[in-house]
């Protein structure tokens, strides 16, 4: 049968005059393509992967993703922990160039066969974001700092001394 929670949702939508829609759950990650490894003319560094984030076209937009976690999810043949799916986790380090590419470091280096694959950039570690209000407060505090010790025209001693 139909459970009571579903019926409550169905009744609420009818009362509001809307039909029930089959909506997908909210995705808490951004798609990224694994472009290749960081490299020079002859040598490549497999410990740093280059990612092309969806919707990021310059290095200023890429700064939002610094410190975010990245997962390369793949399917294996054998079942481990009741699943055939595995993940290699990493973290976005910094921008690479000015076109929106970012460098990422993974716990285990990504395999070369994963080039061109879609990776997931998680949006939930938000600790590296500074609010505009905090930046404004920092600017105000910098205006009211004490005079320099090299400035001899103003006394640094209290007037009662």
């Amino acid at each position: 049968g139909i459970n009571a929670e579903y019926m409550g949702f169905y009744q609420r939508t009818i009362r509001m005059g809307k039909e029930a829609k089959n909506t997908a759950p909210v995705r808490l990650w951004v798609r990224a393509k694994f472009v290749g490894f960081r490299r020079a003319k002859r040598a490549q560094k497999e410990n740093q992967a280059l990612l092309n984030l969806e919707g990021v076209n310059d290095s200023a937009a890429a700064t939002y993703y610094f410190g975010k976690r990245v997962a390369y999810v793949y399917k294996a043949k054998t079942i481990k922990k009741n699943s055939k799916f595995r993940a290699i986790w990493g973290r976005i380090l910094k921008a690479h160039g000015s076109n929106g590419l970012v460098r990422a470091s993974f716990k285990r280096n990504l395999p070369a066969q994963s080039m061109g694959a879609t990776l997931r950039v998680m949006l939930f570690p938000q600790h590296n974001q500074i609010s505009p209000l905090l930046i404004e407060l920092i600017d105000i505090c910098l205006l009211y700092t004490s005079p320099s010790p090299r400035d001899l025209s103003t006394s640094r001693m209290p007037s009662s001394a």
Side-chain angles (χ1 to χ4, degrees):
I2 300 172
N3 62 7
E5 186 178 321
Y6 175 76
M7 285 303 292
F9 170 76
Y10 185 69
Q11 289 170 352
R12 266 184 265 127
T13 54
I14 288 176
R15 261 186 259 131
M16 291 169 35
K18 298 178 182 175
E19 293 183 20
K21 295 179 183 176
N22 292 333
T23 57
V26 177
R27 184 166 46 94
L28 294 175
W29 50 273
V30 173
R31 289 186 194 97
K33 290 283 183 196
F34 174 37
V35 179
F37 296 109
R38 183 178 174 208
R39 55 173 296 134
K41 189 174 182 181
R42 292 178 183 88
Q44 78 176 7
K45 303 175 191 300
E46 292 92 1
N47 61 343
Q48 289 189 8
L50 300 179
L51 307 179
N52 191 356
L53 299 171
E54 190 177 74
V56 177
N57 297 321
D58 58 345
S59 57
T63 57
Y64 173 78
Y65 295 96
F66 294 171
K68 299 278 192 255
R69 297 191 64 191
V70 186
Y72 167 60
V73 180
Y74 63 98
K75 192 173 181 181
K77 279 189 176 180
T78 57
I79 295 176
K80 287 189 178 178
K81 298 180 184 175
N82 296 328
S83 176
K84 287 188 175 183
F85 292 100
R86 315 236 172 99
I88 300 175
W89 286 92
R91 204 171 279 277
I92 292 181
L93 304 173
K94 59 189 294 184
H96 182 81
S98 59
N99 284 346
L101 286 181
V102 293
R103 297 179 198 168
S105 177
F106 289 83
K107 288 193 175 178
R108 292 183 328 190
N109 295 342
L110 292 179
Q113 69 185 15
S114 64
M115 282 189 199
T118 301
L119 283 72
R120 301 177 182 188
V121 179
M122 304 301 168
L123 296 175
F124 40 83
Q126 292 281 340
H127 53 77
N128 61 348
Q129 308 304 321
I130 298 176
S131 69
L133 181 65
L134 185 63
I135 292 172
E136 192 174 318
L137 284 173
I138 290 170
D139 289 342
I140 291 171
C141 291
L142 289 175
L143 290 174
Y144 296 105
T145 55
S146 61
S148 169
R150 292 179 294 255
D151 190 4
L152 301 175
S153 63
T154 58
S155 172
R156 292 176 57 82
M157 295 296 290
S159 60
S160 61

